[in-house]
Amino acid sequence: MNPLDRYESLVDDVDAFRAACDRPLPSVVRTNEIAATPARVREAFDEAGVAYEAVDWHDGLFRLPDGNPGGNWPYVHGWTHGQEEVSVLPGLALDPRPGERVWDACAAPGSKTTQIADAMGDEGTVVANDNNLGRLSALRHNAERLGITNTVVTNQDARNFSLKPLAFDEFDRALVDAPCSCEGTCRKNPDVLDQWTLDHVHAVAGIQKGVLARAVQATRPGGVVVYSTCTFAPEENEAVLDHVLDGEDCELVAFDLPVETDPGVTEWDGETYDESVTRAKRIYPHRNDTGGFFCAKLRVGGEGDDAVSDGGAADDEEVAA
Amino acid sequence: MSDDAPENDGQQFDRVPATPDEREVEGRASRQEVLDWWHERFGIEPAVFEGYSFWEKGAGKVWIYNGEATDPSEVEAIGMTFLRTRQEHWKPTGRAVSRFGRHATKNVVELGPERASRFAAGEDQDLPEWDGDWGYLIATHEVAGESVPIGVGLYLYDELRSVVPKGSRADLPVVE
Ligand SMILES: C[S@@+](CC[C@H](N)C(=O)[O-])C[C@H]1O[C@@H](n2cnc3c(N)ncnc32)[C@H](O)[C@@H]1O
């Protein structure tokens, strides 16, 4: 069975969805602004005759139609990092600021860690954690290549992560870019669809719930937690949010992403989820010609001294106050 | 025994002492010495590294970190590798040079397009025209009108050796 069949009832245009899932994706690089501006990268590409296309919703992203993202000077100098377009979205939702304390709970191989460190101007502290030591060595290589100095790397099971080795006992923001069934990466790696099983979906959903709950607990009141996966499966997305909304002191907040998205679903396979999961965003491949993705933004409850400022939701609060 | 001098534990990160006088672990570089070394070797002002802390892990490997200090015994890494000490000639890492090398005012060798590509590929090359110091140099080349560090070279007997680590070598077309 092709797991994508399951989602025909969720998408508006089944043919466009299936056709997009069958098309390969171009190589994309993200500018590492710790090292260079997008304008410098463009100049260097021009000088070397490297073909590139701009991505209209993000000036630091370049599509490389000829592939080989590592075969040019900007890469060698650590000015660019190969990263799929949709993979940039959770970092935008997280919106970390210089000087903050940020946890990347499932961080390897570090595409989002390095994007977060970059957004913080390499100031503050990023704690990049993963339970897989081999994948952490790839993360360390990437962080070094990009010249990042504000990151601590830890090797723990994120579900019972201890902040004891750290200089503080709570985070301002946390990203849970969870292990998942990876259906949304089918344009890069069609094998994921052949290897898919419902048992795996359920098993990984258990891990996702544990990690997201821990992220909420480890983040200060008023802080932000972003949850993302590269899968369409509601069991791994809305169901995980619903579970954590029930068990932890947090709420889903509205937020903006610079791409076309669909709201989270409140019903799936006989289950219903909290109405607020519609604030989460589904990214289907046919909408923006990208990989598939899911992204949600949570605010941790309790007495926050200052709610972390963020996009639309915070502005609304100000108007209401 | 409690009166034993502390030793370097190669498995964990320890903050380097501020000055040689505060050194407790034999052979460990101090912050002062690290800053002096970058200043003397490459003319990089100590102010460039203000706010960063330095840590040792392994025999002589110094790391640079810009975050809040941690209990480093339980972490895999803090910041990035910076400098190799505990040897006669200290050696900067390629990453350190790539990140901070633009502040250097001496022992910088600018390579033309063809030499730059050979350097990045890990090739050694004759360079009799260099009349500066021997030892570790920062190799740079021009990208779109500005000089950019490529990595660390070792200059000995009219030859510039590329010490770009194997995993970082690249086969790049010559950009004229
Ligand atoms: C989707 S990948 C993360 C990709 C990464 N955020 C990036 O942008 O490069 C999920 C990661 O979760 C890690 N992981 C799985 N179970 C975990 C657990 N219980 N605790 C911590 N990490 C876990 C996996 O090793 C894997 O590296």
Side-chain angles (χ1 to χ4, degrees):
Chain A
M1 166 216 170
N2 184 332
L4 298 181
D5 297 346
R6 305 201 310 153
Y7 310 118
E8 300 205 336
S9 62
L10 299 182
V11 295
D12 61 335
D13 184 342
V14 173
D15 291 342
F17 170 65
R18 297 303 286 252
C21 288
D22 282 341
R23 280 197 301 275
L25 274 181
S27 285
V28 176
V29 295
R30 169 177 58 80
T31 306
N32 173 35
E33 300 209 31
I34 292 173
T37 60
R40 280 287 280 157
V41 172
R42 233 177 291 126
E43 282 169 19
F45 281 159
D46 286 339
E47 185 179 70
V50 174
Y52 63 90
E53 286 164 20
V55 171
D56 57 10
W57 53 270
H58 192 299
D59 73 341
L61 294 179
F62 300 99
R63 296 188 191 114
L64 304 183
D66 300 335
N68 195 15
N72 51 65
W73 281 111
Y75 179 88
V76 169
H77 290 315
W79 295 1
T80 59
H81 175 74
Q83 183 171 359
E84 214 186 307
E85 283 172 52
V86 276
S87 160
V88 170
L89 297 172
L92 299 181
L94 190 67
D95 194 18
R97 312 294 164 89
E100 288 186 333
R101 300 157 171 175
V102 179
W103 187 32
D104 192 353
C106 302
S111 290
K112 297 175 193 77
T113 307
T114 55
Q115 180 192 351
I116 289 166
D118 183 359
M120 294 164 70
D122 200 31
E123 281 169 29
T125 307
V126 181
V127 178
N129 177 72
D130 204 280
N131 71 344
N132 182 322
L133 205 51
R135 288 174 62 94
L136 275 183
S137 85
L139 176 143
R140 285 172 53 179
H141 176 85
N142 285 326
E144 291 245 329
R145 200 181 67 73
L146 300 176
I148 286 161
T149 66
N150 73 341
T151 296
V152 178
V153 178
T154 60
N155 180 212
Q156 298 186 34
D157 185 329
R159 289 173 289 187
N160 32 48
F161 184 81
S162 161
L163 283 85
K164 228 183 85 226
L166 307 178
F168 43 82
D169 52 21
E170 56 186 10
F171 292 102
D172 297 306
R173 296 175 203 255
L175 171 64
V176 177
D177 186 41
C180 71
S181 59
C182 298
E183 296 162 356
T185 65
C186 57
R187 297 182 65 176
K188 282 213 139 129
N189 180 16
D191 289 350
V192 294
L193 300 178
D194 300 327
Q195 288 153 6
W196 189 95
T197 67
L198 193 55
D199 282 347
H200 177 249
V201 168
H202 288 303
V204 86
I207 299 171
Q208 292 159 344
K209 288 170 185 167
V211 178
L212 183 56
R214 184 69 193 113
V216 171
Q217 294 157 7
T219 301
R220 69 170 169 81
V224 165
V225 177
V226 167
Y227 179 74
S228 59
T229 70
C230 50
T231 196
F232 307 113
E235 295 90 337
E236 300 179 56
N237 292 327
E238 290 87 348
V240 172
L241 298 176
D242 185 70
H243 173 90
V244 172
L245 287 173
D246 247 4
E248 305 296 330
D249 187 4
C250 61
E251 62 183 344
L252 282 163
V253 294
F255 65 109
D256 288 323
L257 288 179
V259 294
E260 253 194 77
T261 63
D262 291 69
V265 300
T266 54
E267 280 180 46
W268 177 252
D269 201 21
E271 308 266 315
T272 59
Y273 308 127
D274 190 282
E275 192 57 34
S276 68
V277 301
T278 54
R279 293 179 183 160
K281 296 185 187 300
R282 302 189 139 255
I283 293 107
Y284 290 117
H286 59 295
R287 292 275 193 223
N288 313 279
D289 197 15
T290 62
F293 217 72
F294 182 86
C295 187
K297 181 166 183 168
L298 299 98
R299 180 189 180 279
V300 177
E303 290 295 305
D305 32 348
D306 55 330
V308 174
S309 70
D310 55 315
D315 295 342
D316 292 346
E317 274 163 26
E318 266 162 37
V319 174
Chain B
M1 277 192 325
S2 60
D3 54 2
D4 274 356
E7 285 180 26
N8 182 43
D9 178 345
Q11 295 307 309
Q12 83 172 47
F13 288 94
D14 283 308
R15 196 164 182 150
V16 306
T19 62
D21 289 347
E22 289 161 61
R23 174 160 33 228
E24 289 180 5
V25 173
E26 162 101 23
R28 177 165 292 160
S30 68
R31 177 178 183 86
Q32 188 61 53
E33 291 161 309
V34 169
L35 295 177
D36 287 350
W37 184 85
W38 283 95
H39 191 223
E40 276 160 29
R41 184 75 204 161
F42 297 117
I44 300 183
E45 293 296 330
V48 168
F49 302 115
E50 220 177 88
Y52 294 90
S53 55
F54 300 137
W55 304 73
E56 183 182 25
K57 183 188 178 187
K61 207 188 253 185
V62 172
W63 302 57
I64 183 168
Y65 175 54
N66 197 26
E68 289 176 79
T70 57
D71 167 6
S73 57
E74 291 177 55
V75 304
E76 297 298 316
I78 43 176
M80 69 174 194
T81 56
F82 186 55
L83 180 65
R84 170 73 73 170
T85 64
R86 295 187 191 258
Q87 55 193 24
E88 190 186 346
H89 298 289
W90 289 6
K91 181 185 168 208
T93 65
R95 299 318 180 193
V97 157
S98 160
R99 173 77 199 266
F100 299 103
R102 69 192 155 87
H103 299 286
T105 54
K106 59 179 178 184
N107 288 320
V108 176
V109 57
E110 175 89 9
L111 302 177
E114 190 257 348
R115 283 185 177 279
S117 292
R118 283 167 56 198
F119 186 88
E123 265 179 54
D124 301 338
Q125 44 193 301
D126 287 337
L127 197 70
E129 57 271 37
W130 174 254
D131 59 2
D133 285 2
W134 285 23
Y136 292 117
L137 306 182
I138 296 175
T140 64
H141 73 144
E142 200 184 289
V143 179
E146 274 175 54
S147 176
V148 180
I150 310 170
V152 181
L154 177 59
Y155 191 80
L156 292 171
Y157 305 104
D158 289 350
E159 189 187 54
L160 179 67
R161 301 188 188 163
S162 169
V163 297
V164 176
K166 276 219 175 65
S168 305
R169 288 183 192 162
D171 258 332
L172 295 172
V174 175
V175 179
E176 295 286 355

